[in-house]
Amino acid sequence: MRSAVIAFAMLMATVLSANAQHLKTTTGHENNPYYSTTDTKPLKVSDAEWKKILSPALYATAREQATEQPFTGQYWDKTAKGTYYCAVCGNKLFRSDAKFASNCGWPSFYEAVRKNSVIYKDDDSHGMQRTEVICARCNSHLGHIFDDGPPPTFKRFCMNSISLDFQPDGLGK
């Protein structure tokens, strides 16, 4: 029995590693040594290092809090089933079953996949009082959260598509 449990654990580790490697190479992160869809340990990487690794557009959004134009990102109206990850570090953030059509022009979710996958910070920029949503693993800007979402949370995580990677369900199985 014990050997069957060990064999199953090894198989699952192999599948998770293969899925993580597939996502890393299909999203252009093969030159990012910090990108992992399985590691949840917080990263301590300088902005100078991120600037060497990330594309200019992703760096501007994730590290300088830029915002993509509404209705231009690849995920704002995506309906496929799967998981959304941080485009900077691979941290698991949202499931598609928590995504909803808010018609605001950005991908919107009513809850994060785990309580500790994101952190929140007051944002008083642009003459508004908002709450910024940040990746808990790499401290990258993802978007903002608002109190006008659907049940059960009544929250709207309004995210930048460029800050997200998507892996469809069933990939690698």
Side-chain angles (χ1 to χ4, degrees):
M1 177 68 170
R2 185 166 190 245
S3 61
V5 170
I6 292 170
F8 179 75
M10 290 174 63
L11 174 65
M12 290 308 298
T14 302
V15 168
L16 286 173
S17 177
N19 283 348
Q21 186 60 33
H22 174 80
L23 186 59
K24 186 173 183 173
T25 57
T26 58
T27 55
H29 297 296
E30 53 277 344
N31 294 324
N32 182 346
Y34 308 106
Y35 193 91
S36 172
T37 58
T38 57
D39 189 354
T40 58
K41 291 185 296 273
L43 294 170
K44 301 269 192 258
V45 180
S46 70
D47 280 339
E49 180 70 12
W50 283 128
K51 195 166 196 164
K52 293 177 194 173
I53 296 168
L54 305 177
S55 72
L58 179 55
Y59 182 85
T61 301
R63 307 308 302 174
E64 297 176 330
Q65 291 74 33
T67 299
E68 65 192 3
Q69 294 297 308
F71 306 102
T72 62
Q74 64 178 329
Y75 301 128
W76 77 271
D77 63 347
K78 187 173 194 74
T79 58
K81 300 294 181 199
T83 304
Y84 291 85
Y85 297 86
C86 175
V88 173
C89 71
N91 188 29
K92 188 175 182 179
L93 300 171
F94 302 100
R95 284 283 306 150
S96 60
D97 52 6
K99 190 173 188 289
F100 66 98
S102 67
N103 298 316
C104 67
W106 293 277
S108 298
F109 305 87
Y110 62 80
E111 68 183 352
V113 74
R114 307 183 305 277
K115 212 174 216 177
N116 61 349
S117 62
V118 296
I119 54 179
Y120 307 96
K121 179 180 165 190
D122 289 340
D123 178 2
D124 296 327
S125 64
H126 307 290
M128 297 180 270
Q129 292 184 336
R130 302 178 292 175
T131 302
E132 181 182 11
V133 179
I134 301 166
C135 174
R137 182 164 183 254
C138 68
N139 292 309
S140 288
H141 173 76
L142 302 168
H144 291 88
I145 187 170
F146 302 95
D147 292 325
D148 59 359
T153 64
F154 301 97
K155 299 293 183 188
R156 175 172 50 102
F157 287 81
C158 186
M159 304 292 98
N160 291 289
S161 286
I162 195 168
S163 294
L164 302 174
D165 284 335
F166 177 75
Q167 183 174 10
D169 283 348
L171 193 61
K173 291 182 181 172

